[in-house]
Amino acid sequence: QQQVKQSPQSLIVQKGGISIINCAYENTAFDYFPWYQQFPGKGPALLIAIRPDVSEKKEGRFTISFNKSAKQFSLHIMDSQPGDSATYFCAASPTGTASKLTFGTGTRLQVTL
Amino acid sequence: GAVVSQHPSWVICKSGTSVKIECRSLDFQATTMFWYRQFPKQSLMLMATSNEGSKATYEQGVEKDKFLINHASLTLSTLTVTSAHPEDSSFYICSAWTGLGYGYTFGSGTRLTVV
């Protein structure tokens, strides 16, 4: 019940295309859903996060879509750029400062020219 | 804002020695810090949760005597890998909850290589 399932494992998108990464969870206690971007040899960096009271959140080229009834959420990267090539992790946690983040397995995104 | 500074960024040590990794919250007070381990091309694996002034809580399967965590102040948490062996070679990352605005912020990671 603690798992967050992420797909696809890897993704190749042409420059200017849309990258879509999906995640699904089971624990209904989760109410904070962030996405992280990680470059090789670096720690994860927060991209965007959403709470269940909204179905969509957009920040620049990044959009989270959230479906509470299906317990799914996804990251859309519009106008994908080579600089977006990285590993993306979805995560989830219940509210609370001591709450543990549960991570998805990661998606390696490659944006080609 | 909400920066966690992690040092060193990489370290090479001999088998049997101990290595200390530091994480400092630079502009906020980190009541709780999390320590992760990440193998190549894999996700982050939570090792332990440390609360300021109290003993860390370790995840199942993590040897608490090998991975010593100290969180003596609201701005500093350390992970000491004791009697390191080659199988301890990995990427170690710390994280702290900063509040709703910034969520969890992560250090830049430490690449440990034990030879």
Side-chain angles (χ1 to χ4, degrees):
Chain A
Q1 197 179 20
Q2 290 295 321
Q3 279 186 327
V4 176
K5 296 181 180 180
Q6 182 172 347
S7 63
Q9 189 175 11
S10 63
L11 182 61
I12 299 175
V13 173
Q14 278 196 326
K15 179 182 176 181
I18 302 173
S19 304
I20 302 174
I21 305 170
N22 301 297
C23 284
Y25 65 98
E26 295 181 357
N27 189 345
T28 54
F30 289 154
D31 65 355
Y32 175 69
F33 303 90
W35 283 90
Y36 291 91
Q37 178 188 58
Q38 185 180 31
F39 292 104
K42 300 295 183 183
L46 178 65
L47 263 182
I48 186 171
I50 198 168
R51 290 195 178 270
D53 51 347
V54 296
S55 60
E56 186 175 281
K57 183 175 181 180
K58 183 176 180 180
E59 289 184 2
R61 296 185 294 110
F62 302 95
T63 299
I64 297 179
S65 296
F66 186 83
N67 186 328
K68 187 175 181 178
S69 60
K71 290 185 281 189
Q72 295 175 347
F73 58 110
S74 61
L75 175 69
H76 295 232
I77 305 174
M78 312 300 287
D79 187 26
S80 299
Q81 298 297 312
D84 296 331
S85 297
T87 299
Y88 293 80
F89 293 97
C90 63
S93 78
T95 301
T97 59
S99 299
K100 298 183 285 189
L101 270 175
T102 299
F103 280 89
T105 49
T107 297
R108 300 186 77 187
L109 171 65
Q110 182 182 354
V111 181
T112 61
L113 293 171
Chain B
V3 175
V4 171
S5 176
Q6 183 171 347
H7 293 280
S9 56
W10 60 270
V11 58
I12 300 173
C13 71
K14 290 185 177 181
S15 187
T17 61
S18 296
V19 172
K20 181 184 284 188
I21 301 169
E22 289 190 352
C23 274
R24 293 181 183 271
S25 56
L26 299 185
D27 47 7
F28 69 100
Q29 293 183 329
T31 307
T32 303
M33 276 212 182
F34 305 90
W35 287 92
Y36 294 86
R37 183 173 183 177
Q38 186 178 33
F39 291 105
K41 299 183 181 180
Q42 291 190 22
S43 189
L44 285 77
M45 181 187 76
L46 181 66
M47 299 174 65
T49 302
S50 75
N51 292 294
E52 183 265 338
S54 61
K55 290 184 178 180
T57 301
Y58 291 82
E59 295 298 301
Q60 190 173 12
V62 177
E63 298 177 62
K64 60 182 179 181
D65 294 330
K66 166 167 276 296
F67 300 101
L68 299 179
I69 291 172
N70 184 282
H71 194 162
S73 77
L74 287 171
T75 59
L76 174 64
S77 178
T78 61
L79 167 66
T80 302
V81 183
T82 63
S83 186
H85 291 284
E87 57 265 30
D88 299 324
S89 298
S90 191
F91 193 55
Y92 293 88
I93 311 169
C94 63
S95 174
W97 171 258
T98 64
L100 293 178
Y102 297 102
Y104 298 83
T105 191
F106 287 79
S108 54
T110 297
R111 171 72 59 195
L112 170 63
T113 301
V114 184
V115 298

